[in-house]
Structure formats: C-alpha cells, structure tokens
Amino acid sequence: MIGDSIENAPLLTDLAFPYRLLGAGKDSRECLFLLHGSGVDETTLVPLARRIAPAATLVAARGRIPQEDGFRWFGRIDPTRFEQKSILAETAAFASFASEAVKRHGLKLDRATFLGYSNGANLVSSLMLLHPGIVRKAALLRPMPVLDHVPATDLAGIRTLIIAGAADETYGPFAPALVTLLSRRGAEVDARIIPSGHEIGDPDAAIVRQWLAGSATAHLS
C-alpha cells in the first residue's frame, strides 16, 4: 500500500461500526478486517497488518464501547469475565457490518481474514461461534474464550490461527481452552506459543504472514 496512510483514510461512520478503508483500488482482492485491543482505536493494528499483507485491502474497524482514551468491543466485568449481553449484541452488529462492508467495497468474505488482538480477537471468536458463515479465516492474537454458553456451531472448513504469549499471565493460561473449543467444533486450528507477554509485534506478523501462505504447521500443547 505504497502512498496509502491512515491519515488519508477518512473515518467512515455510516455503518454499524466506524471504520477506515485502506488499500482500496489495489489489484488484490484479499482483505483483512482489523479488530483492535482494549483502550485504543482502529489505527493501532494497521502497521502490523501492513507487515502481514502489504497488498491487501484493510477494513480497520473501531469498537463501540468506550474505555479510557479508546474503545473496546464489548463490556467486561473484570479482566477475564465479560458481559454476555454485550457480547451477543456487539457480535450480531458486527456480523451485519462485515456483510455490508464487503458489499459496499467490492470485497468477498471468502477472501477475507479477520485479524483480532486481545478483546478484538475475542470478538472474532464469538463471531465464528454465534454467526457462522461470516468468518472463513481468523488470526487471533492473545485470545481467550469469553462465551458462557457456547452453541454447537459447525466450524468445519474454518482456518484459525491462535498465537498466545508464554509470559501473558492474564490471557495465556486460557488459550489452550479456546484451541480445544474451536477444534472440537471442526475448525482447522494452528496454534502457537511465542516468547512474549500480552504485547504483539514482529514475531506475530511473521507467523501470520506464513500462515496466510499456508506454511504454518506448529501446534499449541
């Protein structure tokens, strides 16, 4: 996306979630939906996404729940317990948003990867389970399970990458449970543990890039 920047991508506010579109008009129809972590906004994952897929169209969305100086995707009770009604409402709204965004911009869900970090990753996994058919590929960075009641969704054919941090004391211990949950519902899960805390960076970008190319084979144990 040479010559493209966050600054010249206006914030669009006429769909359910505010978002910025970057890379529109490129030859590639590959696209990444970017779902940021807590307390920040839609711009924070753009540099990482550019390292992962430089030619892809980016749909950088903003969560609707205010937190500190930024936003999150659904309400929380404490760092590892979440407001279930908020998850259900925001996930349903995002399912509609994703469908509308691809139609508007000439994209396709079967060419889209949903890249989520922390709270954003948790929204993506909830979207997979509650609204099947939207997500075909998901890269979840530092995720954990958040649904109290998990439907028996058939996730066969859904490619999922999970990257946990070995030193992530809050979310890391929950990552294996999410791997098991998605795998038991038929998802093709490639799970990694890297020597990191909750923060993300170049090692994550390299793994996601390789995974999108179909070469990632490690498993979380």
Side-chain angles (χ1 to χ4, degrees):
M1 290 186 288
I2 297 173
D4 196 7
S5 69
I6 298 169
E7 290 73 20
N8 62 30
L11 184 68
L12 305 175
T13 59
D14 57 340
L15 294 183
F17 290 82
Y19 71 104
R20 298 178 194 267
L21 185 76
L22 298 101
K26 305 298 180 183
D27 292 336
S28 173
R29 289 295 85 197
E30 298 291 338
C31 73
L32 271 65
F33 280 83
L34 309 182
L35 288 85
H36 59 78
S38 303
V40 292
D41 66 18
E42 72 286 349
T43 65
T44 56
L45 282 182
V46 170
L48 185 79
R50 282 178 162 154
R51 296 199 291 276
I52 292 169
T57 297
L58 306 182
V59 182
R62 175 186 293 182
R64 304 193 298 186
I65 309 298
Q67 179 180 320
E68 298 166 353
D69 294 329
F71 305 89
R72 60 181 295 112
W73 295 95
F74 46 81
R76 69 178 178 183
I77 300 167
D78 60 37
T80 59
R81 291 190 303 148
F82 306 93
E83 296 177 359
Q84 297 299 301
K85 289 184 178 180
S86 180
I87 295 173
L88 297 177
E90 296 305 298
T91 302
F94 198 88
S96 297
F97 164 78
S99 297
E100 292 171 2
V102 294
K103 291 176 183 176
R104 168 179 289 187
H105 299 295
L107 305 169
K108 294 182 178 180
L109 286 174
D110 61 5
R111 300 288 296 276
T113 299
F114 288 75
L115 174 67
Y117 166 54
S118 190
N119 186 240
N122 298 340
L123 191 284
V124 175
S125 66
S126 299
L127 188 64
M128 294 166 62
L129 291 161
L130 296 171
H131 298 276
I134 300 294
V135 178
R136 319 293 172 82
K137 289 184 292 186
L140 310 178
L141 311 181
R142 314 299 185 271
M144 65 168 288
V146 295
L147 292 172
D148 288 349
H149 303 288
V150 183
T153 311
D154 182 1
L155 298 179
I158 309 302
R159 292 188 65 213
T160 307
L161 173 67
I162 293 176
I163 307 179
D168 183 355
E169 296 180 357
T170 301
Y171 273 24
F174 295 95
L178 183 62
V179 173
T180 298
L181 170 62
L182 299 180
S183 297
R184 286 179 175 174
R185 280 159 176 76
E188 176 188 329
V189 180
D190 181 350
R192 308 286 190 97
I193 298 175
I194 63 173
S196 172
H198 197 64
E199 71 281 357
I200 55 176
D202 287 338
D204 296 280
I207 292 170
V208 178
R209 187 168 59 247
Q210 293 168 1
W211 175 77
L212 284 175
S215 60
T217 57
H219 297 279
L220 183 67
S221 60

